Amino acid sequence: MSSTVTGSPATKPPADFVAHVHSISRQSSVFLLGTLFTVAASYLFKIYLARSLGAEALGIYALGLTAGGLVSIVGAAGVPQTASRFVAIYASTGQTRKLRRFLWFGALALLVTNLVVGIAMVLGKHWIADRVYHTPLLARYMHFFAAIIVIGALTTFLGQALAGYKDVARRTVITNFIGTPSTMLLSVALISLGLGLWGYLAAQVASSGLVLILLALAIWKLTPKQDACPPDPSAPKIPLLEKEVLSFAAVLLGMQAMEFVSGQSDRIILGIYLNAREVGIYSVAASMVSFVALFLQSINQIFGPTIAELFAKGEHDLLQHLYQTLTKWSLGLTIPLALAIMIFAKPLMGVFGPDFREGWPVLVIATVGQLVNCGVGSVGNLLLMSNQQKRVVRAQAITVGLTLALNLILIPLIGLMGAAIASAATNTSLNLLWFRDVRNRLSLFPSRAGYVSLILPTAATIVALLAVRTFVRIPLPDVAFALVGVAVGYIVFAIVALRFALEPQDKELALRAYARIRGRFA
């Protein structure tokens, strides 16, 4: 990775650069392993669900999650996502009383508000199912979605708190290596008994409860115990939740509301204009697209608290070098996966069953938007953790109108393709607006040389994947064919990148990572 700021000469990385990269890579690598495990297991599990439940049942499930997501925004009120920032601040500065009060009253507030909106959701189930989505069967499962809302808000809060403690590894073990297999095994058992979608939802509620308990125990162990000395009566009283927390939560509430409109309006409008089957096909394709950014998501889990810490200390040069390095690495690791998904989209969707194959254009179009997301790096996190949250909301407000307009115009005209185009356009415009604000407000830039160095490996990967897709005639199942494509993509990209794209700093980091992996297996 070049450490050159766009338009400026190369500078030597700050002294703490390697230490921070080591910390980020160690924690994010555990998260990545958990994510890869979840991706592989979830892909196979989705195949099982698609073939066992069918497109209509998955469509009902997607509509239920959409309805639950809308009311959960009100119930959460932005509080869960405040945990990563304020736990990091309170823990690093030794403010134990504020930390404990934040955790206790934050969790209590979430429990109360989400119980209220969950009850309201159950009471209004027939109106939601009949009047909004025109799918009466949805009302039968509404109590499950209400339970998922309540438990989900608390698990998100505690998971973000673990990120604030910079213990993403422990959270990954709980959510990915315990929670995911629990959901799958229990779902298979209940579906095999003939319980269908009811069994799948019951399994989700049960496994979510298990994850909640384990996260709570982890937070309990990490949180410092209250000082035995009684507080000074003359000291100012600490409010239940400080004004800064409430202000940040209010901004996050607005962000989440707009994220919901941007991210879920496609399913809502598809449900209104089309049917549950089409929503089911689209939801499977959209879930596949979400895997494209898994490397960036892995980095963001630990980079977010690091941004808050470095910004508070005024270490701009170190933050600049981290942003450049992590952006190049996350994009480089993403390109082969994204290209393989686009070129092998039809067999990938065909794995879920013949009904889902028609959703392959959705996979191709939406993946383009995710590539832009990875190309600009952690721009949303940079703004959010650097007291620029208003800029985040401003960009979201601009793109919300674009999302609604495109969905309302394109879905009635071209159906699933319209929803995919709207999604890609929204993702692209939002990340470019954030990128502009990061450059103008924070004076942070990705490395231009870093982008240029990835051109040759990308071109070689495209040629190799097209050759496999066109000329390989060996009869293989769709899933095996797609996996061959992904493997070829990464092999070709790695070979060319090692020769032409890595600079001395990149090679040093790569050698450290290789030595760490080799040491663990030795």
Side-chain angles (χ1 to χ4, degrees):
M1 168 66 201
S2 171
S3 54
T4 304
V5 179
T6 303
S8 66
T11 57
K12 185 178 179 180
D16 292 340
F17 172 76
V18 174
H20 277 281
V21 170
H22 173 78
S23 174
I24 292 171
S25 64
R26 179 172 54 84
Q27 291 285 331
S28 60
S29 63
V30 177
F31 180 85
L32 177 61
L33 288 175
T35 304
L36 290 174
F37 167 76
T38 303
V39 166
S42 297
Y43 186 74
L44 297 174
F45 184 57
K46 285 182 183 297
I47 296 172
Y48 168 78
L49 287 177
R51 294 181 178 273
S52 300
L53 302 180
E56 183 177 2
L58 289 182
I60 293 172
Y61 174 74
L63 293 175
L65 287 184
T66 301
L70 179 59
V71 298
S72 68
I73 293 172
V74 178
V79 173
Q81 286 70 26
T82 64
S84 63
R85 178 180 179 182
F86 288 99
V87 167
I89 293 173
Y90 294 153
S92 63
T93 55
Q95 301 181 70
T96 303
R97 287 184 63 201
K98 288 184 178 181
L99 174 61
R100 291 175 62 84
R101 183 162 293 206
F102 172 78
L103 291 172
W104 277 106
F105 287 100
L108 181 61
L110 284 173
L111 178 61
V112 173
T113 55
N114 280 277
L115 281 175
V116 171
V117 297
I119 292 171
M121 185 176 172
V122 173
L123 293 177
K125 61 183 180 179
H126 291 292
W127 182 84
I128 296 172
D130 299 341
R131 299 288 297 276
V132 178
Y133 291 118
H134 312 295
T135 308
L137 282 175
L138 177 60
R140 184 183 302 176
Y141 307 101
M142 200 65 72
H143 56 287
F144 284 115
F145 294 111
I148 290 172
I149 288 171
V150 176
I151 300 174
L154 293 171
T155 54
T156 301
F157 178 73
L158 296 179
Q160 291 292 329
L162 276 178
Y165 281 125
K166 296 186 178 181
D167 198 351
V168 175
R170 188 179 311 203
R171 186 184 70 178
T172 302
V173 170
I174 294 172
T175 58
N176 293 67
F177 291 111
I178 296 177
T180 299
S182 299
T183 301
M184 294 177 181
L185 292 174
L186 191 54
S187 295
V188 171
L190 295 177
I191 292 173
S192 299
L193 293 175
L195 298 178
L197 183 57
W198 190 97
Y200 177 41
L201 290 169
Q204 278 196 307
V205 172
S207 60
S208 297
L210 173 63
V211 168
L212 176 61
I213 293 171
L214 294 176
L215 288 174
L217 291 173
I219 293 294
W220 178 266
K221 292 179 180 179
L222 288 173
T223 303
K225 300 299 181 286
Q226 185 66 51
D227 193 346
C229 298
D232 185 358
S234 62
K237 292 184 178 180
I238 300 175
L240 299 182
L241 291 174
E242 292 192 281
K243 289 183 179 180
E244 188 180 5
V245 175
L246 296 176
S247 175
F248 191 64
V251 172
L252 289 173
L253 174 60
M255 287 174 51
Q256 290 163 4
M258 286 182 284
E259 283 175 0
F260 178 84
V261 174
S262 298
Q264 301 295 329
S265 60
D266 47 5
R267 292 170 175 81
I268 295 173
I269 297 173
L270 281 170
I272 293 172
Y273 282 99
L274 301 179
N275 52 57
R277 176 183 175 275
E278 299 292 322
V279 176
I281 294 172
Y282 182 83
S283 65
V284 168
S287 68
M288 291 292 297
V289 172
S290 66
F291 297 150
V292 175
L294 65 92
F295 293 102
L296 179 61
Q297 292 166 3
S298 302
I299 290 171
N300 281 341
Q301 298 304 309
I302 190 64
F303 191 32
T306 302
I307 294 168
E309 177 185 338
L310 295 180
F311 179 78
K313 294 179 179 178
E315 298 186 24
H316 180 273
D317 289 344
L318 178 54
L319 186 57
Q320 166 72 14
H321 280 87
L322 286 173
Y323 173 45
Q324 289 186 340
T325 300
L326 296 176
T327 298
K328 178 182 177 180
W329 277 78
S330 64
L331 179 59
L333 290 170
T334 299
I335 287 173
L337 176 62
L339 293 176
I341 287 177
M342 288 190 286
I343 294 173
F344 291 83
K346 186 174 287 187
L348 277 171
M349 290 299 295
V351 172
F352 297 97
D355 289 344
F356 294 89
R357 189 178 288 269
E358 66 185 75
W360 73 266
V362 175
L363 202 53
V364 174
I365 296 169
T367 298
V368 175
Q370 285 293 350
L371 262 179
V372 175
N373 178 19
C374 297
V376 297
S378 306
V379 285
N381 252 354
L382 283 166
L383 292 171
L384 194 60
M385 295 297 176
S386 304
N387 288 332
Q388 297 292 329
Q389 54 264 28
K390 291 182 180 179
R391 293 281 169 176
V392 177
V393 177
R394 176 177 171 271
Q396 288 179 316
I398 293 172
T399 56
V400 162
L402 174 67
T403 303
L404 290 174
L406 289 177
N407 278 318
L408 288 170
I409 293 171
L410 296 178
I411 288 177
L413 292 176
I414 51 178
L416 299 180
M417 287 276 290
I421 293 171
S423 174
T426 300
N427 207 348
T428 299
S429 58
L430 178 62
N431 279 282
L432 290 179
L433 286 171
W434 283 344
F435 176 74
R436 183 194 63 179
D437 286 334
V438 166
R439 182 189 60 193
N440 294 340
R441 305 294 296 186
L442 302 178
S443 298
L444 296 173
F445 306 85
S447 168
R448 183 180 300 169
Y451 288 138
V452 173
S453 67
L454 296 176
I455 293 176
L456 187 58
T458 300
T461 303
I462 293 173
V463 172
L465 289 175
L466 288 175
V468 172
R469 185 77 173 89
T470 305
F471 299 111
V472 172
R473 299 300 180 185
I474 302 174
L476 292 172
D478 283 341
V479 64
F481 192 36
L483 288 175
V484 168
V486 173
V488 168
Y490 272 104
I491 291 171
V492 172
F493 189 92
I495 291 172
V496 180
L498 286 171
R499 177 64 180 86
F500 297 104
L502 293 188
E503 299 181 30
Q505 186 172 298
D506 295 319
K507 292 178 180 179
E508 180 185 355
L509 296 174
L511 288 173
R512 286 174 176 268
Y514 173 75
R516 191 182 310 124
I517 294 172
R518 183 179 179 183
R520 288 182 178 179
F521 281 99

